[in-house]
Structures are given as structure tokens and as C-alpha cells.
Amino acid sequence: MGAKQQPEYKQQPEYKQPEQNRTPTQLLFDESPEPMLVVNAGTLEFLEVNRAAIQKYGYNRDEFLKLRLTDLVPAEDRGKVKEYIQGERSEGSGICDVRHLMKSGKAVEVDMLVHHIRYARKKAALVVPQDCTHRKQLEEHLRQAQKMEAVGMLAGGIAHDFNNLLTIINGYSQMLLSSLSESDENRSSVEQIMKAGERAAELTRQLLTFSRRQVVRPKVLDLNVVVAGAAVMLKRLIGEHIELRLIAAPELARIHADRSQVEQVIINLAVNSRDAMPAGGTLTIETQNMEFSEPYPGPHTTLKPGRYVMLAVSDTGTGMDEQTRSRLFEPFFTTKAQGHGTGLGLSTVYGIMKQSAGEIMVDSEPGHGTCVKAYFPAASASLPAADTDTPREEAAPGSETVMVVEDDEAVRRLVRDTLEKQGYRLLVAASGPEALSIAERFDRPIELLITDMVMPQMSGRQLAERMKTVRPHTQILFISGYTESAIVQTAALGYENTFLQKPFTPSMLSRAVRELLDKAHKPMSPKAESCSC
């Protein structure tokens, strides 16, 4: 048997002290933890370097003294360095933002702090290069966050206007369809309108999710259970040419999130991976407990210290270059052919993770596949477990008095038409002040107030507060295309479960109204009629 081979150790460049008896100034220079370089201001030749510079760059002292400062700088940055040391900026001190080359060839971004001095009776410059890679990453994170926030505000505004329109389109389509017989020649046309409206509503939901203005109903969830449930659907979505592997971590911590949103994250990431593997491959979905004791930096984001539950979706597909990866979460950005993607899938994932107080990181290289890691904060053990979803039945008719306050005339008419057909007595107003005036004159109980959240003159919250003062037994149902603080506002009033997001259909509205009234146990009015005041 041959002799055991000893491991190789990389030898550090030798540092030779220029003098045996160093002065205090020389000692401070040599032992400084920051690299320090002294260069001739005229020739840019190195006159002296300290220990930290030798360790940082990989050259020994003798090698350094044979080089010029420009030898450490890529060709495209050399003019900038010369101008900073030899040009008009050569008076005083300053910072030059450039790249420096290590002996290994690696380029590092540095803030090159320059002090102009006299050294050995020569005009010189003391250069202190400070590695600014981390600062550059943080600045890029900030720019990316600001860009996404601006796009999100625009997306949310567009979605708000579209939701009002879609409430009308989808609502009247459903009402019209219910009035047509199976044999009616117009039934197919109305069904196509409804399908188009539903697709448009899904797009606006994705925009609202990206802009973090979607109403969420978080519950304590077992991510392993959610993944296992989604896997049944995924097998149909990804096709037989792709192998699906699930790796579930045992004793996984719980998360506090909206189940439908978590399912969206899983499905959107899986579909994106599927499209990256047209010739087949392996899709792996893995869960894992993670804990970070200090900030963990990644591309475009930094994880805060804490406990997380990680969802990793990996594929063996085509991968992405840095340029594509940097735009990955922008809405409507897609590398797919026209007609094969909206470009909203990953922006939706981004919005969900931000809305869930989580983070998302992407690791990908061309030809080496992609791994997307979504980090959900671990839930507190004191939070209650998730409720079991129960199927909803069609809403029963009613005869209570309902006040509808909505500044959009078409939406107002749709709500009125829907509830009148259900037998309710309707009071209709276009603004908060008008609603209060009607309520003051109306001498019977008003069992329910349906109000838009955002209206001119008086907001839905303000109207609800005023109405509760004069009619404390009136139930409240808020409606809105979006409102960034809808949940906070309704929760502050004690109405956590009384928000209906547009676009809604007549059946959704009827169920919400009936559930609220049944919960309140209000007596029924003797006769249903319409009252337009």
C-alpha cells in the first residue's frame, strides 16, 4: 500500500517587512486591517503596500513593487483611475468607484479612497480600496424593490378599474345565462362571454396579488399537506414526460398563510419549470425547516434572521442567464412565445411571498436548470389551526331591508337587481352623505349596509362608523375592487369576515348577504319591496 498523500495547502504570499525597526506610523500602516497602497502620482508605480493588501490581492511585496496601479484595473476603468490621481481631481482626497483585479483574475468592485500625500519626497497617493460588493448588492435590492413597488401601484390601479367593469360584465352574464333555456341559441354566446370574463378576472387577481392588494385570509397550514394536495393536479399539468419528485421534511414547522395563495405559488413555479423542460426532465418539490441567525443575502433580496419553512421547486431544464433572472418577477415579462404565457405567473408568486412576509430566491444557470426557493416565516405555536373548508350552497332568498351605497352607477344597479330578485327591500345611494340622509328618513330597521370602501366625499369606513352610531344593529358588508388597507380597516371595526372583493357574481353576493343576515339572527320583514330613495 502506498504512502498516504498529504492534503495540499495554498501558501499565502510572503510578507517581508521593509525595515526591522518600524516607526509607529509604519506599524499602523503595516498592521491596518484595510488594504493600503502607496503609488507614485506620476507613474502610478507602487511604492509600498501593507500586509492586508498582500493577503487581499495575492501578490507578494516584491511582485507588487514591479507593478503599476493600472495593472490592477480592467482596461475600461484605467482612464478613470488616471484622471482621479493625475488629473484635475488630483487635489485633496476622494473616492473612485472602479473594479480591481486580484492575482487570480477575479474582479472585485471597490470604493478606491484616494489621499494625496508626499512619500519619500515624491508626490504620491495613498490608495485604500474597500470592497463594496455587499453595498452594491443592497443598492441593487433597493432599486429592484422600488421598481417593483412602482409597477405594483400601477398594476393595482389598473386592476381596481377593471374589477368594476368585470363585476358588471360577469354579473349580468350570469343573470342572463340563468334566464336562458338549454336550447336557446344565444346560450353558447353568453357562456363564451362568461368564460372570457372569468379569465379576465383571473388576470386582475394576479395583478392584485403582485401589487399586494389582494384580500387574503391566512390560516395556520402544514406546507407538506398543501404540497401533497397540489401534487394530484400537478401530475396532470406537467405531463407524463416529466418526473415529479416530492421530498417532504419530517416535523415541518407550520406557516401562517392563505392556502389558495400557497397553492398558486406551487402551481405557478411548477408550470414555469415544466415549460423549461420541453424534452422532459425531473421536477423536484422539497420542503425544509430553515433558521437564520443573521441576515442572509441573495439576488434581489435579503432574508431577515428568524425561522422559516422553505419550499424549493427545482427542474433540470434550460436555465436562465443573469439578464433574464434580473427581470424574472416583472409583470408581463416572459420568454415564452406569443400566446403561450401572460408573464404574470412569477410576478404573482413574488407578490404572494411579499404579502406573506416571506422572500423568494432564484438560482439558475443556462443549461443547468433552475431552483426557486420560497421562504415562508414559521408560524407561532399559539396560532389556531386551519378550519376545514365546507362546500357552499346556493343562498336562500330573503326579505330584509338592505342599503346599497356605491358610487359606480352600473355596479350599484347590478347589486340592486341581484338582491331585488332575491326578495330583499332595497335602499340605494350613490354616496355616504346621501345614504345617511336616507337612513335618517327611513323609519324601519335597516338590517344590512353594503358599501364600497373607496368613494368621494365619505369613505366606506367612515359611513359604517356613522351608521353604527345611529343604527347599531345594522350589519356591514364592504365591497371593493381593491383597497390596500381593506383588511386592516374592516378588522379595526370588528368586521373581519365581511369583505367581498370585486369582481363578484350575483351568486357570490347573495351568499355573502344571506350568511351575514343569518349570523345576526334578525327578524324577517313582512313584505319584500323595492325602495329607490
Side-chain angles (χ1 to χ4, degrees):
M1 182 178 292
K4 185 176 179 181
Q5 186 175 1
Q6 296 296 321
E8 293 184 4
Y9 295 95
K10 186 176 180 181
Q11 186 175 5
Q12 292 291 334
E14 182 185 1
Y15 178 78
K16 298 178 181 178
Q17 296 180 357
E19 296 179 14
Q20 292 296 325
N21 299 317
R22 293 179 291 174
T23 66
T25 302
Q26 290 170 328
L27 181 65
L28 290 173
F29 174 81
D30 291 336
E31 302 302 327
S32 170
E34 295 289 341
M36 303 180 78
L37 314 165
V38 180
V39 300
N40 186 306
T43 64
L44 300 183
E45 293 174 314
F46 286 109
L47 302 176
E48 192 54 81
V49 295
N50 70 347
R51 187 191 305 273
I54 288 170
Q55 293 174 343
K56 175 76 174 178
Y57 287 84
Y59 297 102
N60 61 38
R61 181 172 179 271
D62 291 337
E63 288 173 330
F64 254 121
L65 299 184
K66 295 176 183 178
L67 298 175
R68 300 173 187 267
L69 179 59
T70 47
D71 294 327
L72 302 184
V73 180
E76 56 269 28
D77 289 344
R78 289 171 185 169
K80 185 177 181 181
V81 170
K82 290 180 180 179
E83 174 67 20
Y84 218 83
I85 294 178
Q86 299 174 337
E88 296 179 357
R89 299 180 182 180
S90 60
E91 297 300 325
S93 303
I95 294 179
C96 180
D97 183 10
V98 294
R99 289 172 298 164
H100 275 193
L101 299 174
M102 307 297 105
K103 185 177 180 180
S104 64
K106 178 183 176 182
V108 176
E109 292 187 275
V110 299
D111 286 332
M112 197 175 74
L113 184 62
V114 178
H115 293 274
H116 295 277
I117 61 174
R118 300 288 298 181
Y119 182 83
R121 300 180 180 180
K122 297 177 183 177
K123 189 176 181 182
L126 174 62
V127 178
V128 183
Q130 297 176 325
D131 191 331
C132 62
T133 303
H134 184 61
R135 178 176 63 79
K136 293 281 188 179
Q137 288 178 343
L138 292 177
E139 289 175 352
E140 179 59 29
H141 294 170
L142 177 60
R143 281 192 293 269
Q144 183 75 1
Q146 290 174 332
K147 179 174 68 174
M148 299 295 272
E149 182 66 21
V151 176
M153 291 178 65
L154 175 62
I158 293 173
H160 171 258
D161 292 336
F162 265 76
N163 276 337
N164 272 342
L165 298 173
L166 289 170
T167 299
I168 300 160
I169 294 170
N170 294 355
Y172 280 113
S173 294
Q174 188 182 78
M175 293 174 66
L176 180 58
L177 188 66
S178 65
S179 69
L180 299 177
S181 66
E182 291 292 336
S183 59
D184 194 298
E185 61 180 8
N186 293 317
R187 188 175 181 85
S188 176
S189 298
V190 176
E191 288 175 342
Q192 291 303 314
I193 294 173
M194 283 193 64
K195 288 180 180 178
E198 289 167 359
R199 288 196 298 270
E202 178 59 30
L203 288 176
T204 58
R205 276 193 292 272
Q206 289 180 318
L207 284 172
L208 287 174
T209 301
F210 167 74
S211 60
R212 284 171 276 167
R213 288 169 171 82
Q214 186 186 40
V215 176
V216 295
R217 294 176 174 84
K219 297 178 181 179
V220 175
L221 302 173
D222 183 337
L223 186 57
N224 283 339
V225 173
V226 180
V227 170
V232 178
M233 184 191 308
L234 289 179
K235 289 177 181 178
R236 295 195 298 268
L237 283 174
I238 63 177
E240 296 181 355
H241 65 300
I242 294 175
E243 178 190 0
L244 176 62
R245 297 177 60 220
L246 302 181
I247 305 175
E251 300 181 1
L252 192 68
R254 300 299 188 259
I255 63 174
H256 190 232
D258 186 303
R259 183 185 182 109
S260 64
Q261 287 197 335
V262 177
E263 290 172 341
Q264 270 189 288
V265 169
I266 297 168
I267 292 170
N268 284 342
L269 292 179
V271 168
N272 212 60
S273 291
R274 176 202 65 188
D275 294 342
M277 297 184 288
T282 302
L283 172 63
T284 304
I285 302 178
E286 181 180 1
T287 59
Q288 189 176 347
N289 289 317
M290 303 291 291
E291 186 167 2
F292 301 98
S293 58
E294 56 186 28
Y296 179 77
H300 310 303
T301 187
T302 298
L303 274 170
K304 297 177 181 178
R307 294 173 57 244
Y308 293 87
V309 177
M310 182 191 73
L311 169 73
V313 179
S314 307
D315 63 62
T316 57
T318 54
M320 295 174 285
D321 57 22
E322 175 58 32
Q323 184 177 4
T324 301
R325 197 161 61 245
S326 67
R327 300 188 60 193
L328 200 57
F329 300 116
E330 294 181 13
F332 306 112
F333 173 75
T334 179
T335 58
K336 299 173 186 176
Q338 188 172 2
H340 291 271
T342 62
L344 285 173
L346 290 177
S347 62
T348 299
V349 171
Y350 176 89
I352 289 173
M353 295 310 301
K354 291 298 182 182
Q355 201 168 24
S356 303
E359 291 290 357
I360 187 163
M361 296 184 180
V362 181
D363 184 21
S364 183
E365 290 184 15
H368 291 84
T370 299
C371 180
V372 181
K373 296 179 180 178
Y375 294 87
F376 295 90
S380 168
S382 62
L383 290 172
D387 298 327
T388 303
D389 293 331
T390 55
R392 293 184 174 183
E393 300 177 353
E394 287 297 319
S399 57
E400 293 93 338
T401 299
V402 178
M403 173 174 280
V404 179
V405 188
E406 165 66 66
D407 60 314
D408 189 295
E409 181 182 358
V411 175
R412 189 167 65 243
R413 186 182 300 115
L414 172 67
V415 175
R416 174 179 174 172
D417 292 347
T418 298
L419 297 183
E420 279 184 343
K421 289 184 178 181
Q422 291 290 105
Y424 297 98
R425 178 198 306 268
L426 269 296
L427 304 173
V428 182
S431 67
E434 183 184 355
L436 292 173
S437 176
I438 294 172
E440 185 179 349
R441 301 195 310 269
F442 192 70
D443 58 0
R444 301 182 195 178
I446 299 176
E447 282 82 6
L448 176 65
L449 167 66
I450 302 176
T451 176
D452 193 13
M453 287 291 294
V454 181
M455 298 183 294
Q457 297 180 280
M458 183 183 293
S459 69
R461 173 187 175 135
Q462 292 170 329
L463 173 59
E465 290 174 333
R466 294 280 296 276
M467 184 67 77
K468 276 294 186 181
T469 301
V470 296
R471 292 179 178 265
H473 299 296
T474 298
Q475 301 301 303
I476 310 293
L477 176 62
F478 293 103
I479 58 176
S480 182
Y482 84 85
T483 172
E484 189 171 26
S485 55
I487 300 174
V488 175
Q489 290 182 0
T490 54
L493 292 171
Y495 311 134
E496 292 88 343
N497 299 313
T498 60
F499 185 87
L500 183 61
Q501 187 173 11
K502 300 173 185 175
F504 51 79
T505 60
S507 58
M508 293 167 62
L509 174 64
S510 299
R511 280 198 301 267
V513 168
R514 191 67 260 156
E515 287 171 3
L516 264 179
L517 292 173
D518 288 344
K519 187 176 180 180
H521 301 293
K522 293 295 180 181
M524 304 293 282
S525 301
K527 185 178 180 182
E529 62 182 80
S530 172
C531 176
S532 178
C533 303

